[in-house]
Amino acid sequence: MTGRQRAAVEFVARSLERLGIIDAERFHPTADLAWPRIVTGFAIMSKQTADLAMVGIAVGTAGTAGLAFALAFWEIVTMIGLGLAGGTVSLVSQNYGGEETDRASLVVTQSILLATAIALPIVAVFLLFADSLIGLFGAQPASLEHGSTYLVFVAPAVLFELLNLIASRTYTGVGDTFTEMVARAGGAILNVVLSAILIFGFDLGVAGAAIGTTLSTGFVTVVLGWGMVGRSYGALGMEPSPVPVTRSGPWLEPTILRQVIEISAPEIGRKLAQGIVVFPLLWIAATFGPVVVTALEVGRRVRSVINSVNWGLSLASSSLVGQRLGSNEEDEAGAYGAAIIRLSVVCFTGLAALVVVFAEPIAGLFVGSEEVALAATFVAVGAISSIGFGIDGAAAGALLGAGDTRWPFVASLVGRYGFAVPAAALGLVTPLGVTALYLALLLETFVPGGINYWLFRSGRWKAVSRRYRPSADAD
């Protein structure tokens, strides 16, 4: 970092401190962890967003609607991986912070075994039942064909994606977000290049997008896997994992495996609740036709790109809170969590305002002129709803760092299925129509965000964390 860059970072840190958002001494480690993860999140989220735009150009509305249906299932894969990886980062950060590196390595090994056991059946389902899965949305024949094609060709990437997420969260848990950033960003660039070549150069349409995703995801698996077994990256600036997976045993450690499952299961549930909600929303949108399906998906994809900030701040919250708890510094853990929540609100509000201003030209990247107005409205609403995602991610990240995952799971269920889905369903039985989908997007994020913020403020997560700290084994 140059002297000018350091001065700019210091100016930002002092400005945020004066505004009462986050102390400069906490901003620096937060930023060091967060910015590579934000780049990583942007790289991951932009892949499907770029595919949606390219398919829209090459195939049209039937292709984008089919891709929207297929991406709903891919999102389930990602959410399962994020939930499992959430348990990984919680235990890795606490054990690494407590200087129990061998135990942290065992956590990673158990997570890899679980990821493999979960991924293989999903691969089989995608390959064998693609038509039936896409048919659940009541898709029109052309969209059904495109969606099924995507699922078949992307199926091998399921295992790659889950392993990638375990590796990414392991690096985050030990405070290294640069290595995964380089690997993930390289994979995202490769994905866009391969998809463009296959979609436009070989005229493969949706199949080209799926093949590009599979190949690029496999590439990231190989790159991260190299460091996860402790091998050096040489002069690339990337570091091998300090908690590597080794051939020497034990491969199976029942106590740690039980802890991984205990923490991950509610987090998987929370993430699945976040992902599965798109199914009723897309089904409701499909009753209004493929144009509304496409517009909804454009809004969600733009929101997912904004949500890249959460990949950094939420994981920084988990890692820093977890490490402080592992060192038995509960007050400092609470101070970090509160500061990162405030920082998240500032970041998401600024990004949402920017996207709202430019909603129409952004929508124009995905759809034709006739559909721009509708898509732009979904983009603007999605951007505003991302503020709720910011609150939810930072607060839930702090709770996750403590190993407190059950109540955030309940919060996700309440917000998405107690509020968002019923709100969307109003569009089928009242004159609200498509407007009900706007309301659903807002409730989907702000309700869980509010509940998780209240859970963080209650402080009960500190007591929960005491069961998972390394010192607990001595009790």
Side-chain angles (χ1 to χ4, degrees):
M1 183 181 292
T2 67
R4 183 173 296 180
Q5 289 172 328
R6 281 193 294 270
V9 171
E10 190 61 32
F11 172 77
V12 171
R14 294 301 174 189
S15 298
L16 291 171
E17 184 174 63
R18 283 194 294 271
L19 292 171
I21 296 168
I22 183 171
D23 292 345
E25 66 205 29
R26 296 191 184 101
F27 172 79
H28 289 296
T30 300
D32 289 343
L33 275 176
W35 79 261
R37 284 295 305 167
I38 292 172
V39 174
T40 301
F42 179 82
I44 295 170
M45 295 295 102
S46 65
K47 291 192 300 183
Q48 280 76 43
T49 305
D51 284 349
L52 188 69
M54 288 188 283
V55 167
I57 294 170
V59 182
T61 302
T64 52
L67 185 57
F69 297 139
L71 288 178
F73 289 99
W74 179 255
E75 190 166 340
I76 294 302
V77 172
T78 301
M79 293 304 169
I80 291 173
L82 288 172
L84 178 56
T88 304
V89 72
S90 177
L91 289 173
V92 167
S93 63
Q94 291 197 42
N95 283 286
Y96 187 73
E99 300 182 353
E100 295 284 346
T101 55
D102 289 342
R103 195 168 186 269
S105 294
L106 282 174
V107 170
V108 179
T109 302
Q110 309 315 298
S111 297
I112 290 173
L113 293 176
L114 279 174
T116 303
I118 292 171
L120 294 180
I122 298 175
V123 172
V125 169
F126 279 12
L127 290 172
L128 297 174
F129 304 105
D131 285 346
S132 299
L133 292 173
I134 301 300
L136 293 174
F137 294 102
Q140 296 180 2
S143 297
L144 173 63
E145 180 181 354
H146 290 303
S148 301
T149 298
Y150 187 90
L151 278 189
V152 168
F153 282 102
V154 85
V158 171
L159 178 59
F160 301 150
E161 182 70 2
L162 263 61
L163 293 177
N164 290 345
L165 288 167
I166 296 298
S168 295
R169 292 310 190 268
T170 298
Y171 274 109
T172 299
V174 299
D176 177 8
T177 52
F178 179 81
T179 297
E180 58 166 319
M181 177 195 73
V182 174
R184 287 286 199 172
I189 294 171
L190 181 63
N191 182 87
V192 173
V193 171
L194 288 175
S195 293
I197 292 172
L198 295 170
I199 291 171
F200 300 112
F202 289 85
D203 197 26
L204 291 179
V206 173
I211 294 170
T213 295
T214 297
L215 293 176
S216 62
T217 308
F219 165 81
V220 175
T221 304
V222 172
V223 173
L224 287 176
W226 183 267
M228 288 295 292
V229 296
R231 300 200 175 195
S232 172
Y233 289 102
L236 295 177
M238 302 162 68
E239 296 290 337
S241 171
V243 290
V245 177
T246 61
R247 293 182 182 179
S248 59
W251 272 90
L252 188 64
E253 213 296 322
T255 300
I256 295 178
L257 179 62
R258 185 171 60 252
Q259 287 189 349
V260 172
I261 294 172
E262 184 179 339
I263 295 177
S264 297
E267 182 65 4
I268 290 173
R270 185 177 79 89
K271 291 294 185 181
L272 280 177
Q274 182 178 325
I276 290 175
V277 72
V278 72
F279 286 80
L281 295 183
L282 283 174
W283 183 83
I284 292 169
T287 64
F288 299 105
V291 172
V292 175
V293 171
T294 297
L296 172 62
E297 187 64 12
V298 168
R300 291 183 67 253
R301 287 297 147 194
V302 172
R303 183 177 70 177
S304 72
V305 172
I306 300 173
N307 200 41
S308 301
V309 175
N310 245 345
W311 284 71
L313 294 182
S314 177
L315 265 296
S317 181
S318 294
S319 182
L320 292 168
V321 168
Q323 289 181 25
R324 295 308 178 280
L325 290 172
S327 300
N328 293 316
E329 301 175 34
E330 291 188 353
D331 290 343
E332 185 64 11
Y336 260 109
I340 293 174
I341 292 171
R342 293 192 296 269
L343 180 61
S344 184
V345 171
V346 171
C347 291
F348 273 87
T349 301
L351 287 171
L354 188 65
V355 171
V356 168
V357 171
F358 295 101
E360 191 164 318
I362 291 172
L365 298 173
F366 299 87
V367 298
S369 57
E370 295 180 356
E371 297 93 10
V372 163
L374 180 61
T377 303
F378 272 104
V379 167
V381 174
I384 295 169
S385 72
S386 73
I387 300 172
F389 257 147
I391 300 169
D392 186 26
L399 299 175
L400 178 60
D404 185 2
T405 54
R406 289 191 177 93
W407 283 108
F409 169 44
V410 173
S412 189
L413 289 177
V414 170
R416 291 175 171 91
Y417 301 96
F419 286 84
V421 172
L426 290 175
L428 300 176
V429 296
T430 71
L432 282 175
V434 175
T435 304
L437 290 170
Y438 306 151
L439 178 60
L441 289 176
L442 296 170
L443 293 173
E444 178 191 356
T445 62
F446 278 103
V447 173
I451 294 173
N452 280 324
Y453 179 69
W454 175 80
L455 288 169
F456 172 79
R457 290 294 301 271
S458 73
R460 63 176 297 276
W461 49 274
K462 296 179 183 178
V464 173
S465 75
R466 293 168 196 150
R467 294 187 314 208
Y468 302 110
R469 299 180 201 175
S471 57
D473 291 341
D475 295 340

